[in-house]
Amino acid sequence: MASKTDTPRDADDAEVGAAGSQLSTAPEEEAAGEVSLPSLGPIGWARWFWRQLTSMRVALILLFLLSLGAIPGSLVPQTSIDPTKVEQFRTDHPTLAPLYDKLGLFHVYSSVWFSAIYLLLFISLIGCIVPRSWQFVGQLRSRPPRAPRRLTRLPAYTTWRTDRAPDEVLGAARRLLKKRRFRAHTVDDAVAAEKGYLREAGNLIFHVSLIVILVAVAVGSLWKSEGGKLVVEGDGFANSLTQYDNFKSGAFYDTDDLEPFGFSLKSFDASYERTGPQKGTPREFRANISYFQGADGKEHPGKIEVNHPLEIADSKIFLLSHGYAPVVEVTDGRGKQVYSGAVPFLPQDMQNYTSTGVVKVPNAQTAAGKRNQLGFSGFFVPTYGGKGSGSMFSTFPALDNPRLTLTAYHGDLGVDSGLPQSVYQLEKKNLKQYKQDGRAVAQMMKPGETMKLPGGDGSIKFVGVKQWATFQVSHQPGNGLALIGAIAILIGLAGSLFIQRRRVWVRAVRGADGVTVVEMAGLGRSESTRLPEELADLAGALEADAPVAAETASDSDAEAGTDTATDTATDASAKPAPASTPVPAPSPAADEKKPTPTGSENTAKSTGSTGSSDSTDSVGSTDSADSADDPADPSEGARA
């Protein structure tokens, strides 16, 4: 029999909606087709634009665009990283290069369009997070909402009857929920409790961490410095602007802030696989150095390996590459030694280190005392395969059989023009090649051999070989902040994924027969199998303080086959829950009286004097709730 005081469905839905309100601080997105245009006027348009910019949908779009924008920065050579490759790209692609220039693809991360996406994303995240943070703080200070009148409308639900007084049941429920770390308080005839606030805290931490990473990227870009230096064995480096081969810094970096330190390359250890399918594969790269910090700092031994930088002051020194530097001695036409030292040759074949380089001697003279600038270009191979190998290229990267091949020039090197020149290239515009008997003067030399120049203009001797290494000195002030942001993102993501925000209500009212009816229901932010399990566990724990009321056998016999089972099954169908809802194990003494969360198939069991019968009611919708008896109403009895 339906209660005459049943609340209309719209009122029930409003109560259930209020019970589930503020389970999240996510901003409400406008449904498709319901986007409202602002009223005319600049203020209306500004408000509309701000709402769109700070919506989560736009933030995700901007984050996606930022990811897409980073793709050309990885595929196209960047001026800030390798200007030489950019110039080579311009030479190889004369049609694409002008288009790339207009689009800013050679400097993606400092381009206007990338900076605009970056700033809009920054503003969008701040505009989205700040209101949510205040709303979350308000939720932390507020209490869970009161219980809906019909708890059967909630996804997880159970009920039983007990002889304990309602106040005793509510007190025990409040203590139990607080012990389980629920925030609980009593409202009217029910205890309202909530748990899982850290889920929303995880969401906020995740989004705040994105801002932290964006700030770290900005700080690292504006205050960074990065320089490269090639150092030959036996030479050193001091951290000053003039010592760098190349140097770039952020807009706000002051070169006067360079930390005073330096180092010397004592030796370089390199080993390679000599047999098998991986022959020639490097096994060890290690630069053995001595470094100092401060103007009068004491030298300390150290080593730098690939992916194992040396940290000095606020900078890190990375080992990038290595190669060979033939040691040569040049004598001019007067018999005077005008050059002696190691000349770095750049590898053209990174597998076996076939390298090219030049030797420039601007202060040489002829036998008659006339100025005669000398230039030599050539290539070096650490392991020459021999005359019968049919190749002039290196066959192995180690120094097994080194050879230096040089071609000689004389004239004007162009070093006095005032224009910068590459130390690895020979400007041949004003040079003449030495020839003898109509053939160019060129010679392949082993260590210790000498090539003589025609006309008594001098000679060049291949003395030996040293190794060189290139180092990158990097100052990145935003790296630590970015690491903190990345760790916080993982923590926030774990919290938002594995913590469930849920609410539990326990109602206890005195029935018409003097027995207390206990109802317990739960509601989560989303459907989860853990909520019914947790509710069943709470109901089992509360039963110790509110045991199931005992009934006499005559009462059970009188009720067997009557409307009790029917009413209970109908009432249970008022709000179906998932079919997989777990049920707490019934007690052996009172099988039909154990608190049981409802599922999509609700079973009411009644026991008669001659046996037992099962009555199952499977409900596909909640329409039966209007006609079902309200278990929260004491006048209508309670579910058995």
Side-chain angles (χ1 to χ4, degrees), residues 275-314:
T275 58
Q278 294 185 343
K279 181 180 179 181
T281 303
R283 293 303 181 193
E284 180 187 36
F285 279 143
R286 181 174 64 249
N288 301 308
I289 68 168
S290 63
Y291 66 93
F292 65 90
Q293 182 177 353
D296 301 321
K298 184 180 178 180
E299 288 196 2
H300 304 276
K303 61 181 181 179
I304 306 176
E305 299 180 82
V306 178
N307 297 328
H308 292 83
L310 176 67
E311 188 169 355
I312 303 178
D314 292 333

mmCIF file of all heavy atoms in Angstrom, residues 275-314:
data_model
loop_
_atom_site.group_PDB
_atom_site.id
_atom_site.type_symbol
_atom_site.label_atom_id
_atom_site.label_comp_id
_atom_site.label_asym_id
_atom_site.label_seq_id
_atom_site.Cartn_x
_atom_site.Cartn_y
_atom_site.Cartn_z
ATOM 1 N N THR A 275 84.968 -6.679 -31.987
ATOM 2 C CA THR A 275 84.529 -7.871 -32.710
ATOM 3 C C THR A 275 83.007 -7.956 -32.669
ATOM 4 O O THR A 275 82.339 -7.244 -31.910
ATOM 5 C CB THR A 275 85.137 -9.147 -32.109
ATOM 6 O OG1 THR A 275 84.760 -9.242 -30.729
ATOM 7 C CG2 THR A 275 86.664 -9.127 -32.215
ATOM 8 N N GLY A 276 82.513 -8.878 -33.478
ATOM 9 C CA GLY A 276 81.085 -9.149 -33.464
ATOM 10 C C GLY A 276 80.272 -8.168 -34.295
ATOM 11 O O GLY A 276 80.807 -7.263 -34.953
ATOM 12 N N PRO A 277 78.941 -8.323 -34.268
ATOM 13 C CA PRO A 277 78.066 -7.459 -35.076
ATOM 14 C C PRO A 277 78.075 -6.004 -34.627
ATOM 15 O O PRO A 277 77.691 -5.123 -35.395
ATOM 16 C CB PRO A 277 76.680 -8.092 -34.882
ATOM 17 C CG PRO A 277 76.778 -8.849 -33.586
ATOM 18 C CD PRO A 277 78.190 -9.327 -33.506
ATOM 19 N N GLN A 278 78.502 -5.731 -33.394
ATOM 20 C CA GLN A 278 78.548 -4.364 -32.890
ATOM 21 C C GLN A 278 79.964 -3.786 -32.930
ATOM 22 O O GLN A 278 80.312 -2.902 -32.159
ATOM 23 C CB GLN A 278 78.005 -4.303 -31.464
ATOM 24 C CG GLN A 278 76.536 -4.635 -31.355
ATOM 25 C CD GLN A 278 76.004 -4.454 -29.949
ATOM 26 O OE1 GLN A 278 76.760 -4.382 -28.986
ATOM 27 N NE2 GLN A 278 74.696 -4.365 -29.828
ATOM 28 N N LYS A 279 80.751 -4.252 -33.849
ATOM 29 C CA LYS A 279 82.117 -3.764 -33.982
ATOM 30 C C LYS A 279 82.122 -2.255 -34.243
ATOM 31 O O LYS A 279 81.406 -1.746 -35.092
ATOM 32 C CB LYS A 279 82.815 -4.490 -35.129
ATOM 33 C CG LYS A 279 84.258 -4.055 -35.333
ATOM 34 C CD LYS A 279 84.896 -4.799 -36.491
ATOM 35 C CE LYS A 279 86.336 -4.330 -36.704
ATOM 36 N NZ LYS A 279 86.978 -5.029 -37.843
ATOM 37 N N GLY A 280 82.946 -1.543 -33.481
ATOM 38 C CA GLY A 280 83.033 -0.093 -33.601
ATOM 39 C C GLY A 280 82.088 0.663 -32.698
ATOM 40 O O GLY A 280 82.164 1.896 -32.623
ATOM 41 N N THR A 281 81.195 -0.032 -32.004
ATOM 42 C CA THR A 281 80.260 0.637 -31.092
ATOM 43 C C THR A 281 81.007 1.150 -29.866
ATOM 44 O O THR A 281 81.763 0.405 -29.246
ATOM 45 C CB THR A 281 79.158 -0.334 -30.658
ATOM 46 O OG1 THR A 281 78.484 -0.840 -31.806
ATOM 47 C CG2 THR A 281 78.152 0.373 -29.755
ATOM 48 N N PRO A 282 80.834 2.424 -29.519
ATOM 49 C CA PRO A 282 81.551 2.957 -28.343
ATOM 50 C C PRO A 282 81.058 2.309 -27.058
ATOM 51 O O PRO A 282 79.864 2.120 -26.851
ATOM 52 C CB PRO A 282 81.233 4.450 -28.379
ATOM 53 C CG PRO A 282 79.993 4.568 -29.198
ATOM 54 C CD PRO A 282 80.038 3.459 -30.190
ATOM 55 N N ARG A 283 82.007 1.985 -26.183
ATOM 56 C CA ARG A 283 81.706 1.385 -24.896
ATOM 57 C C ARG A 283 81.989 2.328 -23.739
ATOM 58 O O ARG A 283 81.379 2.216 -22.676
ATOM 59 C CB ARG A 283 82.516 0.094 -24.716
ATOM 60 C CG ARG A 283 82.126 -1.024 -25.654
ATOM 61 C CD ARG A 283 80.670 -1.361 -25.515
ATOM 62 N NE ARG A 283 80.266 -2.456 -26.382
ATOM 63 C CZ ARG A 283 79.002 -2.771 -26.633
ATOM 64 N NH1 ARG A 283 78.041 -2.048 -26.087
ATOM 65 N NH2 ARG A 283 78.696 -3.772 -27.422
ATOM 66 N N GLU A 284 82.891 3.253 -23.955
ATOM 67 C CA GLU A 284 83.265 4.147 -22.870
ATOM 68 C C GLU A 284 83.702 5.485 -23.444
ATOM 69 O O GLU A 284 84.496 5.552 -24.386
ATOM 70 C CB GLU A 284 84.400 3.540 -22.044
ATOM 71 C CG GLU A 284 84.868 4.413 -20.888
ATOM 72 C CD GLU A 284 86.094 3.847 -20.203
ATOM 73 O OE1 GLU A 284 86.951 3.267 -20.904
ATOM 74 O OE2 GLU A 284 86.192 3.987 -18.972
ATOM 75 N N PHE A 285 83.157 6.561 -22.909
ATOM 76 C CA PHE A 285 83.586 7.926 -23.191
ATOM 77 C C PHE A 285 83.750 8.622 -21.849
ATOM 78 O O PHE A 285 82.779 8.792 -21.118
ATOM 79 C CB PHE A 285 82.560 8.684 -24.040
ATOM 80 C CG PHE A 285 82.643 8.371 -25.517
ATOM 81 C CD1 PHE A 285 81.494 8.287 -26.282
ATOM 82 C CD2 PHE A 285 83.858 8.177 -26.130
ATOM 83 C CE1 PHE A 285 81.562 8.014 -27.632
ATOM 84 C CE2 PHE A 285 83.941 7.893 -27.484
ATOM 85 C CZ PHE A 285 82.802 7.805 -28.245
ATOM 86 N N ARG A 286 84.960 9.027 -21.523
ATOM 87 C CA ARG A 286 85.182 9.671 -20.234
ATOM 88 C C ARG A 286 86.257 10.737 -20.375
ATOM 89 O O ARG A 286 87.360 10.461 -20.851
ATOM 90 C CB ARG A 286 85.581 8.657 -19.169
ATOM 91 C CG ARG A 286 85.790 9.290 -17.793
ATOM 92 C CD ARG A 286 86.055 8.265 -16.705
ATOM 93 N NE ARG A 286 87.289 7.536 -16.923
ATOM 94 C CZ ARG A 286 87.358 6.253 -17.249
ATOM 95 N NH1 ARG A 286 86.236 5.555 -17.386
ATOM 96 N NH2 ARG A 286 88.513 5.654 -17.439
ATOM 97 N N ALA A 287 85.887 11.947 -19.951
ATOM 98 C CA ALA A 287 86.845 13.051 -19.937
ATOM 99 C C ALA A 287 87.381 13.207 -18.524
ATOM 100 O O ALA A 287 86.610 13.454 -17.586
ATOM 101 C CB ALA A 287 86.170 14.338 -20.407
ATOM 102 N N ASN A 288 88.675 13.065 -18.377
ATOM 103 C CA ASN A 288 89.325 13.229 -17.082
ATOM 104 C C ASN A 288 89.804 14.675 -16.966
ATOM 105 O O ASN A 288 90.628 15.129 -17.771
ATOM 106 C CB ASN A 288 90.504 12.266 -16.949
ATOM 107 C CG ASN A 288 90.075 10.812 -17.100
ATOM 108 O OD1 ASN A 288 89.159 10.358 -16.427
ATOM 109 N ND2 ASN A 288 90.721 10.087 -17.996
ATOM 110 N N ILE A 289 89.288 15.389 -15.981
ATOM 111 C CA ILE A 289 89.555 16.816 -15.881
ATOM 112 C C ILE A 289 90.042 17.159 -14.480
ATOM 113 O O ILE A 289 89.982 16.337 -13.561
ATOM 114 C CB ILE A 289 88.296 17.648 -16.199
ATOM 115 C CG1 ILE A 289 87.228 17.445 -15.099
ATOM 116 C CG2 ILE A 289 87.727 17.301 -17.560
ATOM 117 C CD1 ILE A 289 86.077 18.413 -15.168
ATOM 118 N N SER A 290 90.509 18.386 -14.357
ATOM 119 C CA SER A 290 90.730 19.014 -13.051
ATOM 120 C C SER A 290 90.028 20.356 -13.100
ATOM 121 O O SER A 290 90.157 21.091 -14.082
ATOM 122 C CB SER A 290 92.227 19.185 -12.775
ATOM 123 O OG SER A 290 92.824 20.058 -13.708
ATOM 124 N N TYR A 291 89.259 20.674 -12.046
ATOM 125 C CA TYR A 291 88.451 21.888 -12.081
ATOM 126 C C TYR A 291 88.667 22.700 -10.817
ATOM 127 O O TYR A 291 89.152 22.186 -9.796
ATOM 128 C CB TYR A 291 86.964 21.534 -12.231
ATOM 129 C CG TYR A 291 86.377 20.800 -11.059
ATOM 130 C CD1 TYR A 291 85.736 21.477 -10.014
ATOM 131 C CD2 TYR A 291 86.440 19.417 -10.977
ATOM 132 C CE1 TYR A 291 85.200 20.808 -8.928
ATOM 133 C CE2 TYR A 291 85.916 18.733 -9.890
ATOM 134 C CZ TYR A 291 85.291 19.427 -8.875
ATOM 135 O OH TYR A 291 84.766 18.757 -7.798
ATOM 136 N N PHE A 292 88.310 23.961 -10.903
ATOM 137 C CA PHE A 292 88.406 24.859 -9.758
ATOM 138 C C PHE A 292 87.172 25.751 -9.735
ATOM 139 O O PHE A 292 86.507 25.949 -10.761
ATOM 140 C CB PHE A 292 89.679 25.723 -9.839
ATOM 141 C CG PHE A 292 89.693 26.674 -10.999
ATOM 142 C CD1 PHE A 292 89.186 27.963 -10.883
ATOM 143 C CD2 PHE A 292 90.221 26.289 -12.230
ATOM 144 C CE1 PHE A 292 89.196 28.844 -11.949
ATOM 145 C CE2 PHE A 292 90.231 27.164 -13.306
ATOM 146 C CZ PHE A 292 89.723 28.446 -13.162
ATOM 147 N N GLN A 293 86.859 26.277 -8.575
ATOM 148 C CA GLN A 293 85.725 27.182 -8.406
ATOM 149 C C GLN A 293 86.196 28.396 -7.610
ATOM 150 O O GLN A 293 86.807 28.267 -6.558
ATOM 151 C CB GLN A 293 84.566 26.498 -7.680
ATOM 152 C CG GLN A 293 83.336 27.370 -7.516
ATOM 153 C CD GLN A 293 82.178 26.622 -6.864
ATOM 154 O OE1 GLN A 293 82.259 25.420 -6.659
ATOM 155 N NE2 GLN A 293 81.112 27.329 -6.546
ATOM 156 N N GLY A 294 85.883 29.575 -8.142
ATOM 157 C CA GLY A 294 86.344 30.799 -7.519
ATOM 158 C C GLY A 294 87.653 31.256 -8.129
ATOM 159 O O GLY A 294 88.408 30.464 -8.717
ATOM 160 N N ALA A 295 87.942 32.527 -7.972
ATOM 161 C CA ALA A 295 89.149 33.082 -8.575
ATOM 162 C C ALA A 295 90.404 32.425 -8.029
ATOM 163 O O ALA A 295 91.387 32.223 -8.759
ATOM 164 C CB ALA A 295 89.184 34.594 -8.345
ATOM 165 N N ASP A 296 90.424 32.094 -6.765
ATOM 166 C CA ASP A 296 91.597 31.471 -6.142
ATOM 167 C C ASP A 296 91.278 30.065 -5.652
ATOM 168 O O ASP A 296 91.861 29.599 -4.661
ATOM 169 C CB ASP A 296 92.089 32.330 -4.962
ATOM 170 C CG ASP A 296 92.455 33.735 -5.391
ATOM 171 O OD1 ASP A 296 93.037 33.876 -6.478
ATOM 172 O OD2 ASP A 296 92.149 34.689 -4.638
ATOM 173 N N GLY A 297 90.341 29.409 -6.328
ATOM 174 C CA GLY A 297 89.914 28.087 -5.889
ATOM 175 C C GLY A 297 90.965 27.025 -6.125
ATOM 176 O O GLY A 297 91.771 27.097 -7.058
ATOM 177 N N LYS A 298 90.937 26.031 -5.274
ATOM 178 C CA LYS A 298 91.864 24.909 -5.394
ATOM 179 C C LYS A 298 91.358 23.928 -6.438
ATOM 180 O O LYS A 298 90.157 23.687 -6.560
ATOM 181 C CB LYS A 298 91.995 24.221 -4.034
ATOM 182 C CG LYS A 298 93.006 23.084 -4.009
ATOM 183 C CD LYS A 298 93.061 22.457 -2.619
ATOM 184 C CE LYS A 298 94.038 21.289 -2.598
ATOM 185 N NZ LYS A 298 94.105 20.650 -1.244
ATOM 186 N N GLU A 299 92.292 23.340 -7.201
ATOM 187 C CA GLU A 299 91.916 22.396 -8.241
ATOM 188 C C GLU A 299 91.554 21.041 -7.634
ATOM 189 O O GLU A 299 92.190 20.589 -6.669
ATOM 190 C CB GLU A 299 93.041 22.222 -9.263
ATOM 191 C CG GLU A 299 93.234 23.432 -10.167
ATOM 192 C CD GLU A 299 94.051 23.088 -11.391
ATOM 193 O OE1 GLU A 299 94.435 21.906 -11.541
ATOM 194 O OE2 GLU A 299 94.296 23.997 -12.199
ATOM 195 N N HIS A 300 90.531 20.422 -8.227
ATOM 196 C CA HIS A 300 90.073 19.109 -7.786
ATOM 197 C C HIS A 300 89.967 18.195 -9.006
ATOM 198 O O HIS A 300 89.534 18.630 -10.079
ATOM 199 C CB HIS A 300 88.709 19.204 -7.104
ATOM 200 C CG HIS A 300 88.672 20.152 -5.948
ATOM 201 N ND1 HIS A 300 89.072 19.796 -4.677
ATOM 202 C CD2 HIS A 300 88.280 21.448 -5.863
ATOM 203 C CE1 HIS A 300 88.928 20.815 -3.872
ATOM 204 N NE2 HIS A 300 88.447 21.837 -4.569
ATOM 205 N N PRO A 301 90.351 16.944 -8.881
ATOM 206 C CA PRO A 301 90.180 16.020 -10.009
ATOM 207 C C PRO A 301 88.710 15.658 -10.194
ATOM 208 O O PRO A 301 87.929 15.641 -9.239
ATOM 209 C CB PRO A 301 91.014 14.807 -9.595
ATOM 210 C CG PRO A 301 91.014 14.851 -8.098
ATOM 211 C CD PRO A 301 91.000 16.310 -7.723
ATOM 212 N N GLY A 302 88.354 15.380 -11.407
ATOM 213 C CA GLY A 302 86.971 14.997 -11.696
ATOM 214 C C GLY A 302 86.886 14.296 -13.037
ATOM 215 O O GLY A 302 87.875 14.180 -13.777
ATOM 216 N N LYS A 303 85.706 13.803 -13.342
ATOM 217 C CA LYS A 303 85.479 13.144 -14.624
ATOM 218 C C LYS A 303 84.073 13.471 -15.107
ATOM 219 O O LYS A 303 83.155 13.687 -14.310
ATOM 220 C CB LYS A 303 85.673 11.628 -14.517
ATOM 221 C CG LYS A 303 84.728 10.940 -13.548
ATOM 222 C CD LYS A 303 85.003 9.449 -13.483
ATOM 223 C CE LYS A 303 84.032 8.755 -12.525
ATOM 224 N NZ LYS A 303 84.268 7.291 -12.462
ATOM 225 N N ILE A 304 83.920 13.521 -16.410
ATOM 226 C CA ILE A 304 82.634 13.814 -17.034
ATOM 227 C C ILE A 304 82.364 12.724 -18.061
ATOM 228 O O ILE A 304 83.210 12.448 -18.922
ATOM 229 C CB ILE A 304 82.627 15.197 -17.712
ATOM 230 C CG1 ILE A 304 83.045 16.296 -16.720
ATOM 231 C CG2 ILE A 304 81.257 15.508 -18.290
ATOM 232 C CD1 ILE A 304 83.158 17.665 -17.351
ATOM 233 N N GLU A 305 81.211 12.115 -17.955
ATOM 234 C CA GLU A 305 80.803 11.083 -18.904
ATOM 235 C C GLU A 305 79.476 11.473 -19.530
ATOM 236 O O GLU A 305 78.782 12.382 -19.061
ATOM 237 C CB GLU A 305 80.673 9.731 -18.193
ATOM 238 C CG GLU A 305 81.970 9.241 -17.580
ATOM 239 C CD GLU A 305 81.806 7.905 -16.882
ATOM 240 O OE1 GLU A 305 81.838 6.871 -17.579
ATOM 241 O OE2 GLU A 305 81.622 7.907 -15.652
ATOM 242 N N VAL A 306 79.134 10.774 -20.589
ATOM 243 C CA VAL A 306 77.858 11.027 -21.264
ATOM 244 C C VAL A 306 76.720 10.749 -20.288
ATOM 245 O O VAL A 306 76.688 9.703 -19.638
ATOM 246 C CB VAL A 306 77.725 10.161 -22.531
ATOM 247 C CG1 VAL A 306 76.372 10.386 -23.194
ATOM 248 C CG2 VAL A 306 78.853 10.472 -23.507
ATOM 249 N N ASN A 307 75.806 11.713 -20.180
ATOM 250 C CA ASN A 307 74.652 11.643 -19.270
ATOM 251 C C ASN A 307 75.049 11.692 -17.801
ATOM 252 O O ASN A 307 74.212 11.439 -16.925
ATOM 253 C CB ASN A 307 73.805 10.386 -19.522
ATOM 254 C CG ASN A 307 73.196 10.366 -20.908
ATOM 255 O OD1 ASN A 307 72.870 11.414 -21.461
ATOM 256 N ND2 ASN A 307 73.061 9.192 -21.489
ATOM 257 N N HIS A 308 76.309 12.006 -17.509
ATOM 258 C CA HIS A 308 76.775 12.182 -16.133
ATOM 259 C C HIS A 308 77.560 13.489 -16.058
ATOM 260 O O HIS A 308 78.801 13.487 -16.065
ATOM 261 C CB HIS A 308 77.642 11.004 -15.672
ATOM 262 C CG HIS A 308 76.889 9.729 -15.533
ATOM 263 N ND1 HIS A 308 76.624 8.904 -16.611
ATOM 264 C CD2 HIS A 308 76.319 9.126 -14.450
ATOM 265 C CE1 HIS A 308 75.936 7.850 -16.191
ATOM 266 N NE2 HIS A 308 75.740 7.969 -14.888
ATOM 267 N N PRO A 309 76.850 14.623 -16.020
ATOM 268 C CA PRO A 309 77.539 15.915 -16.044
ATOM 269 C C PRO A 309 78.213 16.221 -14.712
ATOM 270 O O PRO A 309 77.922 15.603 -13.679
ATOM 271 C CB PRO A 309 76.414 16.902 -16.333
ATOM 272 C CG PRO A 309 75.191 16.251 -15.760
ATOM 273 C CD PRO A 309 75.389 14.769 -15.969
ATOM 274 N N LEU A 310 79.114 17.183 -14.775
ATOM 275 C CA LEU A 310 79.763 17.694 -13.577
ATOM 276 C C LEU A 310 79.083 18.999 -13.198
ATOM 277 O O LEU A 310 78.943 19.897 -14.031
ATOM 278 C CB LEU A 310 81.255 17.927 -13.835
ATOM 279 C CG LEU A 310 82.047 18.559 -12.685
ATOM 280 C CD1 LEU A 310 82.122 17.606 -11.503
ATOM 281 C CD2 LEU A 310 83.443 18.953 -13.153
ATOM 282 N N GLU A 311 78.651 19.106 -11.946
ATOM 283 C CA GLU A 311 77.952 20.306 -11.493
ATOM 284 C C GLU A 311 78.911 21.188 -10.716
ATOM 285 O O GLU A 311 79.497 20.766 -9.709
ATOM 286 C CB GLU A 311 76.750 19.925 -10.628
ATOM 287 C CG GLU A 311 75.867 21.106 -10.267
ATOM 288 C CD GLU A 311 74.550 20.696 -9.650
ATOM 289 O OE1 GLU A 311 74.283 19.474 -9.589
ATOM 290 O OE2 GLU A 311 73.783 21.587 -9.240
ATOM 291 N N ILE A 312 79.077 22.412 -11.198
ATOM 292 C CA ILE A 312 79.919 23.402 -10.545
ATOM 293 C C ILE A 312 79.089 24.664 -10.354
ATOM 294 O O ILE A 312 78.498 25.178 -11.315
ATOM 295 C CB ILE A 312 81.174 23.727 -11.375
ATOM 296 C CG1 ILE A 312 81.979 22.462 -11.649
ATOM 297 C CG2 ILE A 312 82.053 24.742 -10.653
ATOM 298 C CD1 ILE A 312 83.212 22.693 -12.505
ATOM 299 N N ALA A 313 79.041 25.167 -9.132
ATOM 300 C CA ALA A 313 78.216 26.340 -8.801
ATOM 301 C C ALA A 313 76.779 26.044 -9.207
ATOM 302 O O ALA A 313 76.213 25.029 -8.834
ATOM 303 C CB ALA A 313 78.765 27.586 -9.481
ATOM 304 N N ASP A 314 76.176 26.910 -10.025
ATOM 305 C CA ASP A 314 74.801 26.695 -10.485
ATOM 306 C C ASP A 314 74.758 26.187 -11.915
ATOM 307 O O ASP A 314 73.710 26.244 -12.566
ATOM 308 C CB ASP A 314 74.008 28.006 -10.387
ATOM 309 C CG ASP A 314 73.791 28.423 -8.949
ATOM 310 O OD1 ASP A 314 73.766 27.540 -8.078
ATOM 311 O OD2 ASP A 314 73.670 29.643 -8.694
#
